Amino acid sequence: MVSSINWTQLRQKVLLSTQRIEMYDPSYWDKEACGINENVVHWAELTKKQLQLLPLSSEVTVLDVGAGSGRLTLQVARHVKQVAALEPSKKMLAILKDTARNQCICNISYFNASLEEMTALSSYDLVVASFSLFMLDIKGALIKMNNLASKWVYLFMSASPWLDENIQKSVNGNSNSWSDFIFIYNILYDLGIIANVNICDYELKQSYDNFELAVLKISQTNRILPEKMDMLREYLHVNLVEENGKLWYNRRRKAATIWWNTNK
């Protein structure tokens, strides 16, 4: 099943043009690890919705691709037989290990590697990737995950545009951007996999220690040009909320779940 659009090439072009590909570099997540982990508790709504969708039981083995600091990994581990946490960032994996140890969770094995570097021939009942599909060769990654899963593959990703729509409209006057699931679904279709899709709403909350740090981080994420920084500052002065000594940027987002049974 091949569509007239080459979705793999289109996705690669967009990733490179937006510099989003840098998010597959472990050094990026090494720098962001502590800040991301501090905000994990505020993403409980999303985590709960993800857990409700996954086919978890005490007999299931799971491969978590891009486990990060363990927001989903740790919760999944409480409901299954074994989890293999695959994470290329050493800093993220160290946080995950420490948290699992502190919570007395002992059924997680740890692999400091990317999916491409994974050479194990083991199969898992369930393969999960939660907001971690930043690799350029996405077709190869999808094929590999499908081959590693004996029963199911579940992919969680953004259904909202990559760049913040409200910021883009306020600062740049437009909101032209892509979202992950459009590419992934169509690439799977071209591979002959007719996947299921679920879309849900959730609140994404991000905290910053001070205003200038918020401006810096949000400008980097949204690719704001230097000449537009004053407009971004005006927007953030209105939309950041002060609470418990921190500044918070809260927004509603849409998440997509794409899943299929591998029928093996």
Side-chain angles (χ1 to χ4, degrees):
M1 303 177 190
V2 181
S3 63
S4 59
I5 299 173
N6 189 321
W7 288 96
T8 301
Q9 288 185 1
L10 180 58
R11 178 181 178 275
Q12 289 177 347
K13 181 179 179 180
V14 173
L15 278 176
L16 293 171
S17 67
T18 61
Q19 298 180 313
R20 189 173 171 81
I21 190 63
E22 71 183 21
M23 298 179 77
Y24 199 58
D25 185 340
S27 64
Y28 175 90
W29 298 106
D30 285 341
K31 292 183 292 185
E32 300 293 330
C34 291
I36 289 173
N37 191 57
E38 288 177 1
N39 284 282
V40 162
V41 67
H42 303 292
W43 302 338
E45 178 189 6
L46 175 61
T47 305
K48 181 179 179 180
K49 290 182 177 181
Q50 289 179 289
L51 289 172
Q52 290 171 342
L53 291 169
L54 290 170
L56 306 178
S57 75
S58 59
E59 300 302 315
V60 168
T61 59
V62 180
L63 172 65
D64 189 353
V65 177
S69 63
R71 176 184 63 83
L72 186 62
T73 316
L74 295 163
Q75 298 303 318
V76 167
R78 299 177 188 277
H79 300 280
V80 301
K81 181 178 181 180
Q82 184 72 31
V83 177
L86 187 65
E87 174 51 54
S89 165
K90 291 182 179 179
K91 183 66 173 179
M92 284 286 202
L93 200 64
I95 292 173
L96 170 53
K97 286 181 179 180
D98 287 344
T99 307
R101 188 183 306 114
N102 292 337
Q103 296 181 8
C104 298
I105 298 175
C106 304
N107 61 335
I108 302 176
S109 53
Y110 306 93
F111 300 91
N112 183 212
S114 66
L115 181 64
E116 293 92 334
E117 296 167 335
M118 187 180 181
T119 58
L121 299 177
S122 303
S123 65
Y124 303 85
D125 296 316
L126 169 63
V127 173
V128 176
S130 179
F131 295 87
S132 58
L133 299 180
F134 301 111
M135 59 282 288
L136 197 59
D137 181 16
I138 190 62
K139 180 180 287 188
L142 292 171
I143 292 172
K144 191 165 189 177
M145 286 187 285
N146 186 68
N147 291 338
L148 286 167
S150 63
K151 294 182 180 179
W152 312 280
V153 179
Y154 274 71
L155 309 176
F156 299 102
M157 64 202 71
S158 176
S160 296
W162 287 339
L163 303 180
D164 187 296
E165 290 179 281
N166 292 327
I167 288 177
Q168 294 303 315
K169 288 177 182 177
S170 297
V171 176
N172 293 324
N174 63 68
S175 59
N176 294 329
S177 184
W178 294 86
S179 60
D180 292 315
F181 88 103
I182 292 295
F183 295 108
I184 303 303
Y185 184 85
N186 283 287
I187 293 169
L188 285 169
Y189 183 86
D190 287 347
L191 290 171
I193 298 174
I194 309 300
N196 306 285
V197 180
N198 174 270
I199 307 292
C200 72
D201 294 299
Y202 71 100
E203 185 176 33
L204 181 61
K205 302 178 67 175
Q206 183 70 43
S207 68
Y208 303 92
D209 290 334
N210 56 66
F211 183 76
E212 287 305 318
L213 181 60
V215 171
L216 174 64
K217 291 291 187 180
I218 293 173
S219 66
Q220 291 173 342
T221 302
N222 287 276
R223 309 299 173 194
I224 303 301
L225 297 174
E227 59 267 27
K228 300 281 189 175
M229 292 296 287
D230 286 343
M231 296 178 69
L232 176 63
R233 283 188 167 86
E234 290 179 13
Y235 174 85
L236 294 179
H237 270 301
V238 174
N239 288 279
L240 289 178
V241 178
E242 186 173 0
E243 184 179 336
N244 298 325
K246 289 183 177 290
L247 292 174
W248 291 85
Y249 185 49
N250 307 330
R251 58 207 189 274
R252 298 300 299 180
R253 302 278 290 174
K254 291 185 180 294
T257 307
I258 297 179
W259 79 98
W260 66 94
N261 190 314
T262 58
N263 296 313
K264 296 175 185 175

